[in-house]
Amino acid sequence: MVPNKDELLGKDIEELESYMISIGEAAFRARQIFKWIYSKEVNSFYDMSDLPRELRKKLDTMAQISIPRVLKQRVSQDGTRKYLLELRDKKRIESVLIPQGSGKNSRYTICVSTQVGCPIGCSFCATGQAGFQRNLDYFEIVGQVLGSRRELKRKLKSNEENLISNVVYMGMGEPLLNYNEMIKSIYMLNHPKGLGIGQRHITVSTAGEASGIKRLADEGMQITLAVSLHACDDTLRNHLVPLNRKYPLSALRDAIEYYISVTNRRVTFEYVLLDEVNMSKRDARNMIRLLKPLLANVNLIPYNEVDGLDYTKPSPPRIQQFFAWLAEGGLNVTLREEKGSDIMAACGQLKAGYSKMYRN
Ligand code: SAH
Ligand code: SF4
């Protein structure tokens, strides 16, 4: 693709109309093009069969639609798919598609990346180890959903536009450190003429970017906020999630209380279970003290082991013990079903560029 072509992906209908007028074409063409992009994930003007031949040629010389290409993919035994996508500057990101239900009518949750790498550097996370390269533009986040859906449709031989029903911002990167692009991408995914994914079907996960949480509260959205907690005392959390040094637990709690008071929505807390690290009775007591007043949902995630990192996944009895302490303490707790770990597609295992992980 030629970098100085005009990028049409990410323009809303009004912007596309202005663009068409600016190149001396009829405004109504914008709607046709928009439909091709968002219903059919088309990125070649030559495939837009209801545009006049001359217009297709003209657009091809001056514009582009950079829906990222799926370079490689892997499919897990449980049906989870991991896609390696290439961006315009050849940087690579990963997205994960997780089937909900089985059979012909199953829908997928897509786990999207918001950054290439991640600047936070959590000590247990593969993405965090790979360092930070850059933020994604909002149209790259939307393009990731379109590119993944195109590939999924192709593989499943499906024409179903609603194949992807949920979006979780839990891939590579910290969404609230790429705030503006993240919000714009949510509006685009949610827009009825875009992908039409309901706000209640969208979850944003943060490592605890307190100022971003407050900003998000003021957006008046119906999305779910998930906060990656992982420790309930500052010493341990400083070590696991270095962002805690900037926003210690007291600052994080203030931001979450603000979020709840403004949005009236329950917040989910993610807690990765690291054997011998954050699962003692004392850890359980600290969590109950911190979270009980917040009417929170707690989601325990057994650690997905990462090559080269020293953390280990706890045994099932230890997981059950920790779960029971929390439940007895009155917390609303669930255990996250592990998906895709056989293809390194589970939470925290994404690190793109390690293409030997892919067979295709
Ligand atoms: N940066 C954001 C969103 C991406 S990470 C965040 O940290 O919330 C999504 C979730 O996966 C987070 O809860 C994260 O802590 C968790 N995670 C990271 N590495 C993991 C691993 N190896 N095993 C299990 N969960 C992990
Ligand atoms: Fe970044 Fe989230 Fe991984 Fe921490 S867990 S390094 S914030 S992607």
Side-chain angles (χ1 to χ4, degrees):
M1 276 168 206
V2 181
N4 53 12
K5 285 186 177 182
D6 300 318
E7 179 58 59
L8 301 194
L9 182 62
K11 288 193 192 300
D12 60 26
I13 291 195
E14 290 73 31
E15 287 165 341
L16 261 186
E17 283 174 349
S18 312
Y19 181 77
M20 295 312 287
I21 293 167
S22 77
I23 62 167
E25 299 291 337
F28 78 92
R29 297 288 180 204
R31 281 175 196 273
Q32 290 173 295
I33 297 172
F34 200 81
K35 192 148 195 300
W36 281 111
I37 300 175
Y38 286 94
S39 305
K40 301 276 178 233
E41 309 96 13
V42 160
N43 57 345
S44 161
F45 296 105
Y46 287 107
D47 291 339
M48 300 186 176
S49 53
D50 56 358
L51 299 186
R53 218 168 273 272
E54 279 310 301
L55 176 57
R56 291 190 230 170
K57 218 186 218 168
K58 175 173 171 184
L59 284 169
D60 187 62
T61 59
M62 57 197 307
Q64 64 187 12
I65 302 161
S66 305
I67 298 175
R69 225 160 38 95
V70 174
L71 284 184
K72 299 193 180 231
Q73 55 187 289
R74 290 200 67 183
V75 186
S76 158
Q77 284 168 355
D78 63 30
T80 300
R81 288 159 192 269
K82 178 163 82 161
Y83 289 160
L84 180 72
L85 296 128
E86 185 172 75
L87 305 171
R88 279 182 309 173
D89 59 358
K90 305 272 181 222
K91 297 227 181 299
R92 290 163 178 199
I93 48 165
E94 289 181 321
S95 65
V96 179
L97 288 137
I98 307 143
Q100 310 296 314
S102 55
K104 255 193 149 300
N105 295 324
S106 74
R107 295 277 185 271
Y108 285 77
T109 291
I110 186 169
C111 177
V112 293
S113 297
T114 51
Q115 299 182 314
V116 184
C118 180
I120 291 185
C122 297
S123 57
F124 51 87
C125 170
T127 311
Q129 306 314 300
F132 174 66
Q133 297 192 38
R134 71 168 174 86
N135 281 328
L136 297 191
D137 291 323
Y138 80 98
F139 61 81
E140 290 177 314
I141 302 173
V142 176
Q144 193 181 150
V145 179
L146 290 171
S148 303
R149 191 180 65 179
R150 177 171 61 197
E151 183 58 27
L152 188 63
K153 280 180 174 173
R154 201 172 69 81
K155 273 273 148 56
L156 301 179
K157 299 189 174 38
S158 164
N159 258 331
E160 179 56 69
E161 277 178 31
N162 301 323
L163 209 48
I164 293 179
S165 55
N166 294 270
V167 181
V168 294
Y169 286 69
M170 293 186 186
M172 302 167 69
E174 166 52 43
L176 297 187
L177 284 183
N178 188 12
Y179 190 92
N180 292 338
E181 302 302 309
M182 175 210 66
I183 287 290
K184 271 170 95 173
S185 72
I186 292 179
Y187 279 116
M188 208 69 187
L189 292 174
N190 179 230
H191 196 286
K193 293 219 161 59
L195 281 118
I197 295 171
Q199 287 189 9
R200 285 171 186 270
H201 294 249
I202 297 176
T203 298
V204 171
S205 174
T206 175
E209 232 298 313
S211 70
I213 292 174
K214 288 187 182 156
R215 265 180 91 181
L216 192 59
D218 294 330
E219 301 281 349
M221 289 179 140
Q222 296 294 306
I223 58 170
T224 299
L225 174 68
V227 177
S228 297
L229 192 59
H230 311 325
C232 298
D233 70 81
D234 281 318
T235 312
L236 180 58
R237 198 163 189 275
N238 283 346
H239 175 66
L240 297 176
V241 185
L243 184 65
N244 197 69
R245 295 184 199 133
K246 183 169 179 199
Y247 299 111
L249 284 163
S250 57
L252 179 57
R253 196 193 46 223
D254 286 351
I256 293 166
E257 280 173 352
Y258 178 76
Y259 183 90
I260 295 170
S261 72
V262 172
T263 64
N264 224 350
R265 291 187 60 77
R266 263 181 189 253
V267 171
T268 297
F269 289 85
E270 297 159 280
Y271 196 93
V272 57
L273 299 174
L274 304 164
D275 200 27
E276 311 271 6
V277 174
N278 64 353
M279 300 177 63
S280 68
K281 180 126 205 203
R282 194 168 152 265
D283 292 315
R285 268 201 306 265
N286 283 343
M287 198 197 301
I288 294 162
R289 196 172 318 124
L290 181 70
L291 297 188
K292 205 157 165 206
L294 297 179
L295 290 174
N297 294 322
V298 178
N299 197 203
L300 301 179
I301 316 171
Y303 184 55
N304 299 304
E305 295 185 0
V306 174
D307 276 354
L309 297 183
D310 260 351
Y311 296 98
T312 48
K313 179 187 178 133
S315 65
R318 279 188 203 252
I319 295 175
Q320 276 151 25
Q321 173 66 86
F322 194 66
F323 186 105
W325 284 330
L326 299 176
E328 283 156 19
L331 291 183
N332 186 10
V333 50
T334 51
L335 186 63
R336 184 174 295 174
E337 202 188 328
E338 197 179 323
K339 294 259 184 152
S341 56
D342 56 332
I343 55 163
M344 296 289 284
C347 268
Q349 293 186 315
L350 305 184
K351 55 180 174 180
Y354 285 69
S355 35
K356 65 174 189 289
M357 286 305 305
Y358 294 88
R359 281 200 201 97
N360 166 18

